[in-house]
Amino acid sequence: MEGVSSLDEPLKKLLGGATAKVMAEHLDLHTVGDLLHHYPRRYEERGKLTALTDLPLDEHVTVVAQVADARILTFNNGRGKRLEVTLTDGSGRLQLVFFGHGVHKPHKELLPGRQAMFAGKVSVFNRKMQLAHPTYQLLDASDADEASEAVDAFAGRLLPIYPACKQLDSWRIAKAVDAVLPSARDAVDPLPASLREGRGFTPLPEALLKVHRPQTRADIEDAKARLKWDEALVLQVALARRRYADTQLPAAARRRVADGLLDAFDAKLPFTLTEGQEKVSKEIFDDLATEHPMHRLLQGEVGSGKTMVALRAMLAVVDAGGQAAMLAPTEVLAQQHHRSITEMMGELAEGGMLGGSDRGTKVVLLTGSMGAAARRQALLDLVTGEAGIVIGTHALIEDKVRFHDLGLVVVDEQHRFGVEQRDALRSKGKQPPHLLVMTATPIPRTVAMTVFGDLETSVLDQLPAGRSPIASHVVPAKDKPHFLARAWERVAEEVENGHQAYVVCPRIGDDAEEAEGRGGKKAKAKKAAPEEDGEKRPPLAVLEIADQLRGGALSGLSVEVLHGRMHPDEKDDVMRRFAAGDVDVLVATTVIEVGVNVPNATAMVIMDADRFGVSQLHQLRGRVGRGSAPGLCLLVSEAHEASPARARLSAVAATLDGFELSRIDLEQRREGDVLGQAQSGVRSSLRMLTVIDDEEVIAAAREEAVAIVAADPELERLPELRTVLAALLDKEREEYLDKG
């Protein structure tokens, strides 16, 4: 990985083809350097047993435990055999099961009292935690050859436990690491010497040795401190260089003009802007007035008035002679933004039309499903400059779309928006347009510094007056079925009082069984053999739940469905009727997560709530309580009371503070999921750094990085850092940074 050195050697040279293939396919490790940076997840002490009581369900684990008991049982009238082994750590117990021909070897080896490392996937069967068909390595082998091999592999008191997979156990990874460890002395040290000495860091080769084969706990701390700094600094230098490069790009300054559209718009606002909106608007207007492109992230809770801030920025650009484009992730959302912006602007949105204001401009909508004539007209209005504002989906980025003078791009919900799209849009301006990215997902400061590190950040944290509180409760459907019955009664009561409700399900439920809004993974409903895995039932589906409600708990109410595979016209029709109050209950997938605004909707029931992430639940909940009546959100779950899933739901029910929740989310799911597969570059580069715990390291590294890049933008005086950066910014990771 670092420079042309032994760290670039492909693994198959040292480990043989079969092992190298598994490492490449399942762990994304290809070179010696990759494996050296595949750090242990934790360390077990020889002779000390792993606590078995708090193992995570459905995860691949490695534990050190003692055999308490082993017995062979027969089933199928004696034709089938299974071996059940009970492990103990002195407090908890864990069951192992082996079937068929696989029972004889473990039966001979796993005798009561023996200690071993076991690896497998944790499941629950008959209310007991179990590992089915685990692999194991004896730690106190009686057979002399085996014993010496086990002792050699784990000579130290501390056993490294590596992130492993079903095809490759932790101890086999440890053996592979032993084979490549001598190459660690060739590692190129990216830290400038002054920084390394000033902070008293261990040299890199030594840090790699200590992290893989520590003699003491202090070795581990030493190595971690050093390796975290490398990751933080390299990433922050990459981001600082992007920010520096952006400041070198030319852009047309769009200075605020008096007595234009913006002043006319402000004058007719029926309310005053919040302090936060004023402050953020000023930051944006200052950026727009400079000769290089603004790159700003605007984060604010659902309903904090981001759209208002973005619209005022767009009007300022139109006043200054430019055009503004707003990109929404879905058609439903683009139509909705268009509707709410034209309503807010009134006659100012009818420039050139009868009854329009002479200071007005045209606001056009451009989506993929528009009719040809409407589309032709919209394209014409854009190229002539007649339309100052355009709102659309990624259809805006197609080659055919030409602008008269694109000055500002506003992107709504950035994490649904890829790098190619952003670049394509950039090329539409005579010079790069200014960019404002909006997100309603609260992002902790450290994640903002890491994931969106090439953007300046503005935060709207006050809610405008008039938003109502939302009460949230967990409904344990399995333990207390009468709670679920009561939930439907509450929905009926809300409708009786003249309000409306949402019911959200994780799946659509037709034949092309596709889980929606979750990266589109096919959710195959498979019947599990009882012995196998106690597989969870498939998630509840919109179409099934809607039918059940119509025929049961909510019969007599008008219940409609909304999901991503409906025709856009059909979707829009349902949304319009729901907004108009003609539909009592809308059963939907997460398509309603962003931007659907129906102030009369006061209740939301989320089915299988444990199948959604914390931030997603918070987003969904933000759809109710948008009017003067208080909101109610019921999180229905069959998760066990003591499970992490239930703990997550209780956290969501306990607070409405999105930043607090995003912190909890991050702590529970760690970085991988939060940054999303699409931004997978961060996965490959952040192996030691945890975005949530290492706030100080990231903040300090960012300061160092800014200073380094300001003094030496091309890193000419720091060739080692440049080498490591080049390796980090291979194609995939470059894309991750571009996502910012």
Side-chain angles (χ1 to χ4, degrees), residues 418-462:
V419 49
E420 306 78 20
Q421 290 139 316
R422 209 170 94 177
D423 282 348
L425 206 73
R426 253 191 196 162
S427 62
K428 298 273 182 200
K430 294 175 183 166
Q431 291 180 318
H434 297 281
L435 178 72
L436 179 65
V437 168
M438 302 197 295
T439 176
T441 310
I443 303 165
R445 176 169 161 258
T446 37
V447 180
M449 281 196 290
T450 324
V451 183
F452 297 104
D454 62 339
L455 298 168
E456 301 300 328
T457 307
S458 298
V459 180
L460 276 176
D461 45 15
Q462 307 159 273

Side-chain angles (χ1 to χ4, degrees), residues 43-203:
Y43 303 84
E44 294 286 9
E45 286 186 37
R46 180 180 289 289
K48 214 172 157 190
L49 306 175
T50 310
L52 298 176
T53 39
D54 43 7
L55 292 178
L57 263 182
D58 288 336
E59 276 188 33
H60 196 281
V61 300
T62 303
V63 296
V64 177
Q66 190 166 11
V67 178
D69 168 62
R71 59 186 63 191
I72 286 192
L73 305 170
T74 56
F75 54 95
N76 263 357
N77 296 331
R79 289 199 297 278
K81 276 186 184 171
R82 78 169 176 268
L83 170 65
E84 285 186 4
V85 179
T86 308
L87 302 182
T88 175
D89 61 1
S91 63
R93 292 190 159 231
L94 179 65
Q95 193 105 30
L96 309 182
V97 270
F98 299 89
F99 295 108
H101 300 304
V103 305
H104 303 298
K105 185 168 184 262
H107 192 221
K108 282 210 308 262
E109 295 181 335
L110 299 176
L111 304 171
R114 304 208 62 178
Q115 250 193 50
M117 280 164 90
F118 299 89
K121 190 174 171 187
V122 184
S123 57
V124 169
F125 181 64
N126 275 345
R127 312 209 83 144
K128 282 189 195 148
M129 300 267 266
Q130 72 164 27
L131 297 183
H133 276 294
T135 52
Y136 59 91
Q137 163 109 11
L138 299 169
L139 291 176
D140 54 356
S142 48
D143 174 25
D145 288 349
E146 219 175 308
S148 69
E149 198 173 299
V151 170
D152 283 350
F154 305 107
R157 197 167 56 87
L158 294 165
L159 308 176
I161 306 292
Y162 287 91
C165 59
K166 188 176 163 190
Q167 296 77 3
L168 203 61
D169 333 294
S170 169
W171 49 90
R172 282 172 55 207
I173 295 172
K175 236 175 163 166
V177 169
D178 282 333
V180 302
L181 213 47
S183 305
R185 40 169 201 274
D186 296 338
V188 174
D189 199 323
L191 293 194
S194 57
L195 176 66
R196 191 172 67 234
E197 285 145 21
R199 292 187 178 262
F201 285 133
T202 308

